[in-house]
Amino acid sequence: MKDYEITPKVIAEHNLSDEEYERITNILNREPTIVELGIFSVMWSEHASYKNSVLLLKTLPKEGSSLLAKAGEENAGLIDIGHGLAISFKIESHNHPSALEPYHGAATGVGGILRDIFTMGARPIAALNSLRFGNPGNPKVQHLLKEVVRGIADYGNCFGVPTVGGEVYFDDSYEGNPLVNAMAVGIVKHNKIARSAASGVGNAVLIVGAKTGRDGIHGATFASVVLSEKSEEKRTAVQVGDPFLEKLLLEATLEAIDEELVVAIQDMGAAGITCSTSEMAGKGNVGIEIDVALVPQRETDMTPYEIMLSESQERMLVIVKPENLEQIKSIFTKWELDAVQIGKVTDDKMLRVFYGEEKVAEIPAETLILGGSAPVYKRESKYPEYLDALHNYDIENLPEPDTYQEVLLKLIASSNISSRHQIYQQYDHMVQIGTVVEPGSDAAVVRIPDTDLAIGLSTDCNGRYCYLDPYLGALLAVAESARNVACSGAKPIAITNCLNFGNPYKPEVYYCFKESIRGMSDACKALGTPVTGGNVSFYNENPEGAIYPTPVIGMLGLMTDYRKATTQYFKHENDIIVLLGSLKASFGGSEYLKIQHNIIAGKPPIVDLEEELHLQDLILELIDKGLVNSAHDISEGGLLIAVLESCFNPEQLFGAKLSFDLELNPAKIYFGEAAGRILISAAKDKYNSIKEAAMKHGIEYHKIGIVSANSSFIVNNHINEDMAILHSAWKQGII
Amino acid sequence: MRISVVTFPGSNCDYDAYRVCLSRGHQTKLIWHKDTDLANPDLVILPGGFSYGDYLRGGALARFSPIVNEVISFAKKGGLLLGICNGFQILTECGLLPGTLLMNESLLFICKHQYIRVETEASPFTQSIGKGKVLDVPIAHKEGNFYTDSVTLKQLQDNNQIIFRYCDKQGEINLQSNPNGSLDNIAGICNPQRNILGMMPHPERSATDTVPTQDGRWIFEAIEKALE
């Protein structure tokens, strides 16, 4: 190894700055070996170190009585739901791999997040995903979309986790840099929670699962640079997944944890053996010594550098007491998996790597990790001038459309609103027989096995809102995801987040990041939903510039009785349709503005967080008392789109007859967007109770119409359209 | 009754079937594919999933598992055997049922609610349901497009071995109600002795009050009555 010279070129290729290299030589008191350089490079990459984000992330609210692990402490967030049970959940990005190899990139994104969940001892019971693409009219975007969806489907379906929800949006800003954020949710008994901090000097360090190959070398550093034309050459940095192996790894891992044979465990994702050994040692305040020659390999002549940096999938690092070695090996053998001791826990806090007899790396573990002394930066932030122009754009004096009916048809068929069934039908969303509310409604509802409990799950972020106002946009994303979950009957209890942004070294990008964190923080505090963890993905850019700031929120809600779960769909003819919230809305950042006028400008809707909380309490109370038959968050496309979506009951198509006073321009009321609004339907005789409850919570309400079984959609004297036409326009979909 | 559900590496509906059988009060066991004892069951279920990751073809490798010999001899003695989804694929791969399951016509995985029509009462799996009854039993597969040669198809038709066909809500059987391109809209078939049923739809996914539909219960009830 010593014959490899560390030149400035080599250092630059490892994406380390001069300052960072100097820091390395100071830590080691010598020049690093090439293996050490590789280790520092991946551990100090943005992806692993959060060096440019962690100071701001620390400002997020992380306190809550039900939190069993602090954000960042374990592989995923952990929330107590009573009955001796906990929910483990997390969302993570796999944007750059998916841009180059959409199928494998998306598949391994799912695989990685599932491992984060079951490495904690939790059995995954649900998966979701949040996707962003460029213009769907572009054939390359269609290719990316199809392959990403197929990748998610093939992995999750084979693994046997129901993919119950998510979102897909299209906007030019994501051209060439799609976002693929995967979320997973698992269930674990309190007494079976596995931790990642290594302990017990002399304990064995095992690598279990798949063999190690050359795939994904430098995936973490790759994720930490801007994509360019040359990125195509980095295809080998994209890993290849094997969901069948992961299913075996799941069963073997849970069996080993259940048998109490595991002292500590961590999955191998980004930065592979390097990350798991240094983090487990660093967190446990111990050392780890390994011989990489002992790692089972699927390729020949792999160097220690390659073995340390490989991101081969479906592997775990496990710390085991020596007396339990044979027993744990027999479990993995039963599942036809490797379980090989590659080292031991030491007391000197060093990460020491051998290749046979030869020592190839020796680094204090703590210097490598987040929370240790890995570099942390505060970046320069600058208000983006373009925001002024966007906010000052005159969107108030646009002409009213000639016919509202045509606008409605255009909107319902548009790429951001039309049906997603072609996507979610490719995902097995029913396996594990716990799916109470299937994809298509505001939030998915999944029952917790052997209890009456259920969880509501939703992912949300309106990137356009975040572009127009990063503070408000992030705040709205939290509010909307909570509202979605509340509409299903579940009380929002915690979030995970996936923060997708451009290059943090651009002050305008950093400003957006900072403002988004502030917005998310304010909303989470007000709504009582702490941040349990998540992921930051910077450098999401294409040659045109950064993507829209896209802080995706994954919301977890809890309901005590799964039988009360509610969908967005109308259920009965002659039910009344009631709007909870104001009829007032605005055009800023709306789908209407984009579709009808091809304008993206204005300010996103303002949200009053206190009122939002009251609204959510109100809908939870109405659902709990059985007063409503449906509840639907009113979001993109505005009021009429929400009514139509409620008409599109998969069991039976309903119509609606709406009539209400118009105080503003009709277009604004029909298609404008506002936060804090829910559309409900209810039996006529429930209206008085609903009114009383709304008044008690101080929420405005408007009876706006009636559900009909006939096939017309009627709005005042403006719209009278055949439901079959609207339904087929919507169902046309996007693929 | 006594039910044995076989777990292959990669099965992922084994536990669902197990839980449904338990919830109906049956003595139910999960049997590991390397076992050689079926535990003396009245009914064996080969569950859905991706045995051996569907490498080669769905079900192609599972048939080499040791337990499969036991399953075959159990069925040859007349024992009731139900193969669901991947289980159906395994049954065709090991020759207990004719035909094969090709890739869906769309080449995509499809998971959705699906109506199927009961085509005959002459099987222990349907005898109490009634011919022509339409059931909502979800499908979830990528290789569910049943295919066989014309001679075998004629035999299946003439011997009344087609147990379920894909249909619409009204029970109409046509191209529109065929989700995967399956020959003659076939969703499930039995052997000439009528004790082995292979079906692509998942009755265990519509047999509990957690999920939105419950029509799969008809099939479990029919089996229970047949074994009474």
Side-chain angles (χ1 to χ4, degrees):
Chain A
M1 296 315 296
K2 290 172 193 87
D3 55 356
Y4 205 107
E5 203 188 338
I6 310 289
T7 62
K9 184 164 171 277
V10 171
I11 295 164
E13 276 169 0
H14 281 78
N15 220 22
L16 288 159
S17 68
D18 293 344
E19 295 75 26
E20 284 168 346
Y21 185 72
E22 196 184 323
R23 194 165 171 155
I24 291 170
T25 53
N26 286 339
I27 288 169
L28 299 176
N29 279 323
R30 57 179 165 82
E31 300 286 309
T33 65
I34 185 69
V35 176
E36 286 168 338
L37 191 73
I39 290 173
F40 276 109
S41 153
V42 289
M43 291 308 293
W44 287 5
S45 73
E46 189 66 54
H47 192 84
S49 75
Y50 291 78
K51 59 189 169 191
N52 288 309
S53 62
V54 70
L55 287 177
L56 288 171
L57 295 178
K58 280 185 176 162
T59 66
L60 289 168
K62 292 172 186 160
E63 301 299 321
S65 53
S66 58
L67 262 63
L68 298 177
K70 282 235 171 94
E73 187 179 274
E74 293 294 340
N75 287 291
L78 205 52
I79 295 284
D80 182 14
I81 57 164
H83 300 254
L85 296 169
I87 293 287
S88 162
F89 74 123
K90 192 182 181 187
I91 189 166
E92 225 171 49
S93 65
H94 231 213
N95 304 337
H96 286 180
S98 304
L100 297 186
E101 287 279 10
Y103 177 82
H104 291 296
T108 52
V110 174
I113 197 66
L114 288 169
R115 274 195 306 286
D116 274 333
I117 300 306
F118 70 79
T119 192
M120 300 190 69
R123 179 171 287 275
I125 58 168
L128 296 91
N129 53 76
S130 178
L131 312 177
R132 300 290 182 282
F133 297 94
N135 182 348
N138 175 347
K140 185 145 190 213
V141 169
Q142 281 290 331
H143 168 75
L144 284 174
L145 170 65
K146 282 178 188 160
E147 290 298 290
V148 163
V149 169
R150 200 169 64 85
I152 292 170
D154 278 358
Y155 207 100
N157 295 352
C158 179
F159 179 81
V161 66
T163 301
V164 293
E167 42 164 9
V168 186
Y169 286 106
F170 300 91
D171 196 287
D172 291 346
S173 91
Y174 304 107
E175 199 80 47
N177 195 130
L179 302 186
V180 176
N181 294 178
M183 173 167 159
V185 184
I187 182 93
V188 58
K189 288 184 183 144
H190 287 189
N191 60 352
K192 298 292 180 189
I193 294 168
R195 303 282 180 175
S196 61
S199 66
V201 174
N203 279 346
V205 176
L206 268 71
I207 186 167
V208 303
K211 295 189 196 310
T212 298
R214 288 193 172 87
D215 46 339
I217 289 172
H218 276 301
T221 24
F222 165 62
S224 307
V225 293
V226 175
L227 289 183
S228 68
E229 305 275 320
K230 284 194 177 158
S231 301
E232 293 274 336
E233 293 166 13
K234 295 206 177 172
R235 276 173 190 269
T236 53
V238 181
Q239 316 82 335
V240 174
D242 181 345
F244 170 59
L245 236 159
E246 178 118 323
K247 164 73 173 162
L248 302 181
L249 187 60
L250 161 79
E251 299 300 341
T253 301
L254 292 189
E255 199 173 316
I257 292 170
D258 196 55
E259 300 276 330
E260 294 175 1
L261 302 172
V262 171
V263 174
I265 180 165
Q266 179 157 330
D267 86 294
M268 282 184 222
I273 300 177
T274 296
C275 187
S276 50
T277 48
S278 45
E279 284 191 357
M280 292 182 85
K283 282 182 196 169
N285 224 2
V286 291
I288 282 183
E289 186 176 297
I290 56 169
D291 176 0
V292 290
L294 299 173
V295 172
Q297 295 154 43
R298 73 169 113 87
E299 293 182 62
T300 52
D301 301 326
M302 285 185 73
T303 65
Y305 178 93
E306 288 171 324
I307 297 168
M308 282 303 283
L309 266 58
S310 162
E311 293 190 1
S312 289
Q313 299 290 290
E314 293 93 23
R315 300 179 300 162
M316 297 268 199
L317 199 73
V318 190
I319 310 290
V320 184
K321 287 182 183 160
E323 62 265 33
N324 292 330
L325 258 177
E326 288 316 307
Q327 209 186 334
I328 202 165
K329 279 184 184 175
S330 76
I331 290 176
F332 281 87
T333 307
K334 172 189 161 191
W335 291 99
E336 297 176 17
L337 295 169
D338 285 325
V340 176
Q341 183 175 359
I342 58 168
K344 59 178 195 270
V345 177
T346 65
D347 62 359
D348 64 2
K349 302 182 189 177
M350 299 296 276
L351 170 63
R352 197 173 291 112
V353 182
F354 289 88
Y355 184 66
E357 296 292 303
E358 186 190 357
K359 184 161 72 183
V360 292
E362 187 171 37
I363 306 170
E366 173 272 337
T367 64
L368 293 167
I369 66 165
L370 174 66
S373 54
V376 170
Y377 302 126
K378 194 176 166 192
R379 295 257 75 87
E380 188 194 338
S381 149
K382 182 169 167 266
Y383 176 83
E385 300 296 335
Y386 62 78
L387 285 179
D388 287 336
L390 290 169
H391 295 162
N392 294 334
Y393 198 98
D394 181 11
I395 53 170
E396 292 307 317
N397 295 302
L398 295 163
E400 279 284 295
D402 297 335
T403 83
Y404 299 103
Q405 195 151 310
E406 268 176 31
V407 177
L408 184 67
L409 254 175
K410 244 196 284 184
L411 273 175
I412 200 68
S414 68
S415 58
N416 284 336
I417 292 176
S418 61
S419 173
R420 268 64 181 137
H421 73 281
Q422 292 146 312
I423 292 174
Y424 64 70
Q425 284 187 352
Q426 291 187 53
Y427 305 144
D428 187 342
H429 49 266
M430 302 185 197
V431 65
Q432 297 192 23
I433 56 173
T435 310
V436 182
V437 174
E438 294 172 0
S441 200
D442 281 346
V445 177
V446 176
R447 184 177 171 188
I448 304 301
D450 306 319
T451 71
D452 283 344
L453 300 175
I455 50 174
L457 301 164
S458 170
T459 63
D460 283 286
C461 179
N462 184 321
R464 199 179 290 156
Y465 288 173
C466 296
Y467 166 62
L468 296 172
D469 186 329
Y471 170 80
L472 262 182
L475 190 147
L476 284 160
V478 176
E480 185 184 345
S481 62
R483 206 180 310 125
N484 278 332
V485 161
C487 282
S488 75
K491 185 176 168 47
I493 54 173
I495 73 158
T496 176
N497 59 41
C498 194
L499 309 174
N500 306 277
F501 289 82
N503 181 348
Y505 288 79
K506 293 182 180 170
E508 282 89 355
V509 168
Y510 203 69
Y511 172 89
C512 293
F513 180 68
K514 202 169 127 185
E515 282 295 285
S516 293
I517 295 277
R518 192 167 68 84
M520 186 185 311
S521 190
D522 284 355
C524 285
K525 276 180 204 151
L527 301 179
T529 54
V531 180
T532 62
N535 164 238
V536 179
S537 172
F538 282 134
Y539 303 99
N540 291 291
E541 305 217 349
N542 56 33
E544 306 291 309
I547 58 156
Y548 284 169
T550 313
V552 173
I553 307 298
M555 181 65 73
L556 172 71
L558 185 64
M559 72 178 84
T560 49
D561 184 354
Y562 71 92
R563 298 170 198 90
K564 290 185 175 167
T566 300
T567 67
Q568 70 185 33
Y569 310 115
F570 294 149
K571 310 286 188 308
H572 307 290
E573 186 182 2
N574 291 328
D575 272 3
I576 51 167
I577 303 170
V578 178
L579 164 68
L580 300 176
S582 170
L583 270 168
K584 290 194 184 73
S586 62
F587 284 142
S590 64
E591 274 304 311
Y592 170 82
L593 211 55
K594 173 75 174 66
I595 298 293
Q596 183 68 7
H597 297 289
N598 199 22
I599 294 169
I600 295 171
K603 273 217 150 206
I606 306 279
V607 58
D608 177 334
L609 288 169
E610 205 176 320
E611 201 176 303
E612 179 72 50
L613 193 59
H614 285 301
L615 174 72
Q616 292 179 19
D617 285 345
L618 168 63
I619 194 65
L620 288 171
E621 182 181 326
L622 295 178
I623 291 171
D624 188 56
K625 289 185 172 162
L627 293 172
V628 296
N629 291 328
S630 70
H632 185 21
D633 164 46
I634 302 174
S635 58
E636 289 87 3
L639 181 62
L640 296 194
I641 292 297
V643 178
L644 270 184
E645 287 168 343
S646 293
C647 288
F648 298 153
N649 187 331
E651 299 275 298
Q652 181 193 348
L653 187 60
F654 285 98
K657 187 171 190 309
L658 306 183
S659 64
F660 46 88
D661 292 336
L662 296 164
E663 287 169 14
L664 304 169
N665 293 346
K668 203 173 248 185
I669 295 181
Y670 293 162
F671 309 117
E673 295 175 17
R677 305 198 296 170
I678 293 172
L679 187 80
I680 58 172
S681 67
K684 280 179 180 157
D685 62 0
K686 300 287 198 311
Y687 188 48
N688 277 336
S689 311
I690 292 169
K691 281 201 290 194
E692 274 169 34
M695 282 188 275
K696 186 182 82 186
H697 288 279
I699 296 296
E700 225 181 289
Y701 57 90
H702 301 269
K703 189 160 97 177
I704 59 167
I706 298 282
V707 178
S708 64
N710 71 32
S711 55
S712 309
F713 188 73
I714 301 168
V715 185
N716 296 319
N717 55 357
H718 287 130
I719 295 174
N720 187 343
E721 181 62 285
D722 191 344
M723 275 308 296
I725 291 175
L726 290 162
H727 186 250
S728 85
W730 173 75
K731 196 117 197 205
Q732 211 68 34
I734 40 190
I735 299 184
Chain B
M1 63 179 167
R2 295 165 64 92
I3 302 176
S4 291
V5 180
V6 179
T7 300
F8 296 95
S11 295
N12 63 29
C13 305
D14 48 339
Y15 199 63
D16 297 352
Y18 171 79
R19 276 167 61 204
V20 167
C21 294
L22 271 191
S23 76
R24 305 184 67 83
H26 303 302
Q27 222 184 314
T28 313
K29 272 195 164 164
L30 285 168
I31 308 283
W32 181 238
H33 76 120
K34 282 194 173 161
D35 287 350
T36 48
D37 181 4
L38 272 176
N40 192 27
D42 302 306
L43 167 72
V44 171
I45 297 179
L46 302 185
F50 290 72
S51 55
Y52 291 96
D54 274 1
Y55 294 148
L56 200 56
R57 292 187 299 280
L61 295 176
R63 75 186 172 102
F64 297 110
S65 279
I67 197 69
V68 169
N69 292 329
E70 301 307 307
V71 173
I72 292 171
S73 78
F74 168 80
K76 292 247 156 101
K77 283 183 225 147
L80 282 197
L81 174 57
L82 170 62
I84 302 167
C85 200
N86 191 224
F88 185 11
Q89 293 162 349
I90 295 169
L91 290 176
T92 62
E93 286 291 336
C94 62
L96 286 174
L97 289 175
T100 189
L101 283 311
L102 301 176
M103 193 86 110
N104 295 343
E105 218 167 43
S106 64
L107 305 180
L108 298 173
F109 191 95
I110 305 169
C111 174
K112 67 181 190 89
H113 288 273
Q114 175 66 46
Y115 292 105
I116 56 173
R117 196 174 76 184
V118 176
E119 296 297 287
T120 172
E121 284 187 35
S123 90
F125 308 95
T126 52
Q127 60 180 16
S128 57
I129 304 180
K131 186 178 173 181
K133 172 84 180 169
V134 175
L135 306 173
D136 174 351
V137 184
I139 54 168
H141 57 250
K142 197 182 218 168
E143 294 168 12
N145 176 356
F146 181 82
Y147 183 77
T148 190
D149 60 80
S150 55
V151 177
T152 312
L153 177 65
K154 183 136 193 341
Q155 279 170 358
L156 289 173
Q157 290 162 339
D158 293 349
N159 294 336
N160 213 13
Q161 281 172 254
I162 301 170
I163 305 290
F164 301 112
R165 279 198 176 93
Y166 299 114
C167 65
D168 63 17
K169 199 174 184 174
Q170 283 70 41
E172 293 299 321
I173 288 169
N174 51 37
L175 221 56
Q176 285 75 45
S177 58
N178 186 336
N180 55 22
S182 193
L183 196 63
D184 201 21
N185 279 42
I186 286 173
I189 56 170
C190 71
N191 60 334
Q193 293 74 32
R194 315 192 82 75
N195 63 316
I196 305 172
L197 168 66
M199 62 189 295
M200 288 314 295
H202 287 263
E204 84 283 9
R205 292 189 179 189
S206 53
T208 60
D209 63 359
T210 310
V211 292
T213 58
Q214 278 81 36
D215 283 357
R217 284 180 173 161
W218 287 88
I219 296 165
F220 288 100
E221 278 165 19
I223 297 170
E224 285 156 8
K225 283 183 191 155
L227 283 170
E228 252 171 25

